[in-house]
Structures are given as C-alpha cells and as structure tokens.
Amino acid sequence: RALSEPRAPQVQDQLGVTQVRDLRGRVVPLLADKTPTIIMINSRTCPWCKKSLRDIGQIAAGQPLPRLTVLTLEGAPFGKPMLESEGIAGARLVGPVGSAADLKASLRQVGTPVFIAVDDTGRVLATVQGYLIYDEMKRWVAVMSGAANSP
C-alpha cells in the first residue's frame, strides 16, 4: 500500500483565519476568488510594513495590484491611507472580524510584516516573515500585478 503525499498547507491552516472584514465593514472570505494572491499582514505601527509598502509602490509604479490582499491588524480603514500614501492601487484591503488582539491570538504567524503567496486553490506556496529585500520584492510584486503566478 503506497503512502499518500502529505496535504499541502492551505492558507487557513497557516493563518488560522478564513474570514475578514472589508472596507465596508462586511464579513468576507480572506481569499476573494480563485486566483494566485499575495497576502500581506501589516500593522499601522510597524516601520518595516511601511518600508515594504514604499518598496511595493516604487516597484509597481502606479500599476494596479489586484492580486494583493492587505490584512491590516487594526482594520481595513487603517490600511487604506498606508497604501494611498505609497501610490498603491487596486489592492484589496481587509481587517480582522473581531479585535486586533483576537486576530493576533488566532494567527499562526508572529510579527509583521508577513507575506504569503497563495495559488489558485488556496495552497500556500511561500511565506516570508519580515522585510523582503527590494530585489526579492520585485518577484512578489509580479504576482500582485498578475504578471506571475508565484514569486
């Protein structure tokens, strides 16, 4: 009898979160559709998150990033000015369903920023905890823009 392959981790296994709150306050799935996505977990008080967003904005150079989901610990409304100040357009902004403390308690990742590359089935392809150097960030932004399916 052959051993079965272990199941690839799904985003909900890695994050412990399946639902989030959007800018309108609605509870929605973390993954909006079945497309490769980069999830960035950030906080408005995190200097490395701000530096990461600055790099993303520079690399994207005004190009929309429809495959970027930014999960801001303090809530989607707090993420909006962070992205706008860096000229990042087209990203999906979400926050926790409950409090930031509840979200932090359920997350299986510690600290911010965290970048998670997810394929069209919700399978986690890669996770980077912390700041991505500029040249590496270019590969991740290619997924955010839709030019690539994995970093």
Side-chain angles (χ1 to χ4, degrees):
R1 183 171 153 216
L3 294 174
S4 63
E5 290 288 320
R7 184 175 72 84
Q10 298 290 299
V11 71
Q12 63 269 20
D13 299 331
Q14 183 140 359
L15 286 180
V17 172
T18 58
Q19 296 199 316
V20 290
R21 196 170 296 279
D22 68 9
L23 274 172
R24 295 182 184 141
R26 297 176 302 180
V27 175
V28 296
L30 175 60
L31 296 177
D33 53 26
K34 295 189 177 283
T35 58
T37 302
I38 301 296
I39 299 168
M40 177 187 181
I41 302 171
N42 79 342
S43 171
R44 68 184 178 128
T45 61
C46 166
W48 290 109
C49 298
K50 293 172 186 175
K51 171 105 174 84
S52 296
L53 290 170
R54 188 174 316 117
D55 290 352
I56 291 168
Q58 288 175 356
I59 295 164
Q63 179 180 14
L65 302 176
R67 292 185 181 179
L68 170 60
T69 294
V70 178
L71 173 55
T72 303
L73 295 177
E74 297 85 3
F78 290 98
K80 187 175 181 181
M82 294 174 72
L83 272 64
E84 288 174 345
S85 70
E86 302 303 338
I88 298 172
R92 183 170 175 250
L93 294 160
V94 297
V97 171
S99 70
D102 291 342
L103 177 62
K104 286 180 191 178
S106 69
L107 288 176
R108 294 186 175 96
Q109 301 296 321
V110 179
T112 55
V114 176
F115 297 89
I116 303 168
V118 181
D119 73 6
D120 58 355
T121 68
R123 182 174 57 110
V124 175
L125 301 174
T127 301
V128 176
Q129 192 158 350
Y131 176 73
L132 282 163
I133 61 170
Y134 196 84
D135 286 339
E136 175 125 352
M137 183 66 83
K138 288 178 182 177
R139 294 196 335 257
W140 288 70
V141 171
V143 178
M144 296 173 195
S145 70
N149 288 331
S150 66

